[in-house]
Structure formats: structure tokens, C-alpha cells
Amino acid sequence: MKTGFQYLPGTLGYPYSKLAMNYYTAYLQKSFANKKIRVNAVLPGSTDTGMKSEFTEMAHGEEGLLSHCGYANRLAYSKEMAGPIVFLNSEMATYASGVLMEVDYGNTVEERANIKPVQQVISLEGIYQMMQKQSK
């Protein structure tokens, strides 16, 4: 599977922290499966949070930020993540464990189906440039 790390300046650790949580979810699911404890994770798309102003600045404005929002053409609201979380914790999902549920208005489905290539990937050149800027 391809890894679709999107990169905005100053956010290098962000995609790696998400990847670490995905691995941690898989680890916990395997560890607790024999105890009948389910472990799942919701992977939200671009969401309107307290970090919006920082991301808007890094994306060089609202238009740049919205270009990362894909098909929805807007940021998700935090409350839109509540439904999937409630579902995964309900009796309707008793056989769902190890789920990494992407709640991103279909932004990653084409990449997962190998229909559309990952558009932005963190490169070593990008990392080098970011480190140069931060050292100034």
C-alpha cells in the first residue's frame, strides 16, 4: 500500500504520529483479541479544530487549506466524527475490530483502491528544505 503523507511546511511530525497510531491500533487489536476486547480507530480527514489558523497560515491562506479538503470542499466539523465513534462502540459493530475507519468524505478511497496515485509525498528534498528554514 502506498503511504499518502501530505506535507505542509512545519508539519513533518504530524503524518508520522498518525502512522504510529495506526500501528498501535493494530498492535492493541492483536493483543486484546483473545480477551474479546475490540480496538478500532477513526482516522479523520481535514477537520476544523483549534489548529485551523496554523494550518491556514502554513497553506498560505484559506484557499490553500481548502485544496487539501478533497471532494467535500470544506473542513469537517468535529461533531461529524462523533457518529463513526459511536457506531464503532455500539452493539452494531460487535464483530468490528482492528478497523482504521477513514472519515474523510472519500478523499483516500481512490488511493486505497490504487485508482489514483498519491498526489503529495514527503520527499527527502522537502525534509532538507524544511530543516534549512527552521535552522535560520
Side-chain angles (χ1 to χ4, degrees):
M1 183 185 331
K2 298 174 185 174
T3 305
F5 290 141
Q6 292 187 343
Y7 173 70
L8 291 173
T11 63
L12 183 59
Y14 186 75
Y16 291 107
S17 67
K18 285 186 164 246
L19 183 61
M21 289 306 298
N22 293 352
Y23 284 120
Y24 190 55
T25 300
Y27 171 79
L28 290 176
Q29 190 281 327
K30 180 180 177 183
S31 299
F32 289 110
N34 63 346
K35 297 178 182 173
K36 307 296 183 226
I37 297 172
R38 299 178 294 124
V39 179
N40 299 298
V42 169
L43 311 178
S46 298
T47 305
D48 189 349
T49 67
M51 296 172 61
K52 180 182 177 183
S53 61
E54 294 172 46
F55 280 113
T56 301
E57 183 179 327
M58 286 185 274
H60 305 293
E62 188 82 19
E63 187 175 313
L65 180 66
L66 294 178
S67 73
H68 293 278
C69 294
Y71 298 113
N73 295 315
R74 67 170 178 85
L75 295 171
Y77 302 111
S78 297
K79 66 182 180 183
E80 291 175 303
M81 300 304 136
I85 292 169
V86 169
F87 167 73
L88 288 171
N89 285 287
S90 76
E91 290 298 312
M92 294 183 284
T94 57
Y95 203 67
S97 189
V99 172
L100 298 172
M101 183 183 282
E102 295 168 340
V103 183
D104 65 359
Y105 206 81
N107 288 339
T108 54
V109 69
E110 292 172 331
E111 292 170 15
R112 298 284 183 253
N114 287 318
I115 297 170
K116 174 178 142 185
V118 176
Q119 293 180 357
Q120 295 180 330
V121 178
I122 294 175
S123 66
L124 290 176
E125 179 63 26
I127 293 170
Y128 176 74
Q129 289 174 3
M130 183 202 65
M131 290 171 65
Q132 290 291 340
K133 287 179 185 176
Q134 289 181 350
S135 67
K136 292 179 181 179

